[in-house]
Amino acid sequence: MNTLLDSPKATEGGTELIARLASRVAETRKKRGLSRRVLSEMSGVSPRYLAQLEAGEGNISVLLLQRVAEALETRVEALLAEDIPLEHEVQRIGMLFRQAPLEVQYKVRGLLAPQNPAMLRAGRICLIGLRGAGKSTLGKMAGEALGIPFVELNRDIETHADMPLAEVMAFYGDSGFRELEAEAIERIGARHDRVILAVAGGIVAEEDTYARLLERFHTVWIRTSAPEHMQRVRAQGDHRPMQGNPAAMAHLRALLEARTPLYAKAEAEVNTSNKTVRSSLNDLLAVIAKHRFLAPAA
C-alpha cells in the first residue's frame, strides 16, 4: 500500500524542493564568486557531489547541506525556502539603519514610505484631539482590551528626560520641547510594533512633527463638544481654563475650530460627546477593527 510519501503530490513537492535547492546553491555560489572546487575545499563536500547537487540529481544529507550553507555564508533555510530570503546586503542595511540617528532613520523612512505607506503604520495607533476629549482614558482601556501597550507621549518624554513635564518645558523651551516630541514619536515607533499612543492636543500645529505622526501611526481623532472639553478638564482638577478668564469658552471654541482641519487629517474619528466611557471605548474598538489598524500590512 502506498504511503503519504509515495503519493503523486508528495513526489511533486519533493521534485520542486530538489530543483529549488539546486538553483539556490548554484546562484549563491556564483554570487560569492566561488568555483565548485573552492566551495568543495571550504565545505568538505566533493566537487562531483556539488555538481550533482546543482544539477538537481544529488540526494544530499542534512549535515552535508549544513556544511555547504556555512561555506556559502548563508542559512540552510535560505536554500530551501519557497520565498527568496533577504540577502546579506539587506541584513547589513538593516543593521546600519538601527544604528543610525533618529533623524537619519526618518529620512530613510521618508524615501521608502511612498512605496508602501501602510507598512510604516501597521499595528501602531495614535489618538489625537484637544485635552479633555478622552484620549488617555480610552487609550489605556483600549490597550488593555487589545493586549497591546498604551503610551502617553508626554509621559515618555518625562521618563526620557528624567524630569517632570513642567521642568522639561522650562529647561528646553517651546522649540526644544517640540524637538523632544518628534524624537519621542520616532523612539516609540521604533520600540513598538503594536501600540496605542496618546499625544497632546497641540502637536497637530507642528507641521513637521504632525507629518511624522501621520506617516508612522494610524490616527484616530477623539473629539467632543467645547463644553464637554471644558467640563472634563475641570473635573480633572485643572481650573486654569476658567480662572480669571471669562472669555475662556470663546477661546476654546475658536481653538477647536482652528484645529478641526488638522484633526480631520486623521484616518478615523470617535465622537465621545454625551456618551459613557464604555460606549466610547466600544466605538474606538469598532473603528480599530473596521479599518484593520492592527492587521499586518500587505
Side-chain angles (χ1 to χ4, degrees):
M1 183 173 66
N2 288 341
T3 65
L4 181 62
L5 293 177
D6 296 324
S7 68
K9 185 175 181 179
T11 302
E12 180 182 346
T15 301
E16 291 177 356
L17 178 62
I18 291 172
R20 184 163 60 245
L21 175 60
S23 174
R24 292 274 173 80
V25 171
E27 290 174 2
T28 306
R29 176 179 62 79
K30 292 174 183 176
K31 285 182 180 179
R32 299 287 184 273
L34 303 175
S35 66
R36 285 202 191 106
R37 181 162 298 281
V38 171
L39 179 58
S40 171
E41 294 173 356
M42 295 173 65
S43 64
V45 178
S46 71
R48 180 179 178 184
Y49 207 105
L50 289 174
Q52 291 177 332
L53 178 62
E54 292 184 5
E57 300 172 356
N59 187 17
I60 192 168
S61 71
V62 174
L63 292 178
L64 288 181
L65 182 58
Q66 175 66 38
R67 284 156 58 179
V68 171
E70 290 176 353
L72 291 172
E73 298 182 355
T74 190
R75 297 172 298 176
V76 172
E77 55 266 36
L79 299 175
L80 297 172
E82 288 188 27
D83 295 327
I84 298 177
L86 293 178
E87 295 291 337
H88 285 271
E89 185 66 20
V90 178
Q91 296 176 17
R92 282 195 288 268
I93 291 173
M95 184 177 297
L96 289 172
F97 178 83
R98 287 192 295 270
Q99 295 173 349
L102 289 175
E103 189 63 28
V104 174
Q105 292 183 8
Y106 173 62
K107 290 179 180 178
V108 172
R109 291 192 187 101
L111 292 173
L112 296 177
Q115 308 304 316
N116 189 355
M119 181 67 74
L120 288 177
R121 297 190 293 268
R124 303 185 188 94
I125 301 166
C126 180
L127 308 183
I128 64 174
L130 281 180
R131 183 181 177 189
K135 295 171 298 192
S136 296
T137 299
L138 295 179
K140 185 175 185 297
M141 294 176 69
E144 292 173 351
L146 296 169
I148 61 178
F150 167 67
V151 178
E152 286 190 89
L153 190 68
N154 283 349
R155 301 290 83 79
D156 186 86
I157 292 173
E158 285 183 324
T159 300
H160 195 73
D162 196 25
M163 64 179 75
L165 193 64
E167 292 184 19
V168 174
M169 294 289 292
F171 185 81
Y172 289 95
D174 187 64
S175 61
F177 180 74
R178 295 308 174 192
E179 291 180 8
L180 294 180
E181 279 187 323
E183 291 175 2
I185 290 171
E186 289 295 315
R187 183 168 59 246
I188 293 167
R191 186 191 309 151
H192 299 287
D193 288 329
R194 291 161 63 88
V195 68
I196 296 181
L197 173 68
V199 298
I203 200 170
V204 297
E206 300 300 318
E207 184 176 355
D208 290 343
T209 304
Y210 191 31
R212 294 188 186 195
L213 192 64
L214 293 172
E215 177 191 87
R216 299 282 283 134
F217 291 80
H218 291 298
T219 45
V220 182
W221 177 15
I222 307 299
R223 63 183 303 181
T224 190
S225 65
E228 287 201 58
H229 273 295
M230 187 70 73
Q231 179 183 348
R232 292 171 185 176
V233 170
R234 295 185 69 191
Q236 294 171 6
D238 189 350
H239 299 279
R240 289 173 298 171
M242 294 293 288
Q243 193 171 36
N245 185 7
M249 181 59 72
H251 174 73
L252 179 58
R253 290 184 188 278
L255 182 61
L256 183 57
E257 182 178 356
R259 288 183 180 170
T260 290
L262 297 172
Y263 291 138
K265 291 182 180 181
E267 296 171 72
E269 64 178 65
V270 171
N271 194 331
T272 64
S273 182
N274 297 317
K275 292 183 179 179
T276 64
V277 173
R278 178 56 58 180
S279 177
S280 296
L281 173 62
N282 290 338
D283 289 345
L284 176 57
L285 294 176
V287 161
I288 292 172
K290 175 184 176 181
H291 292 276
R292 297 175 55 81
F293 286 158
L294 294 179

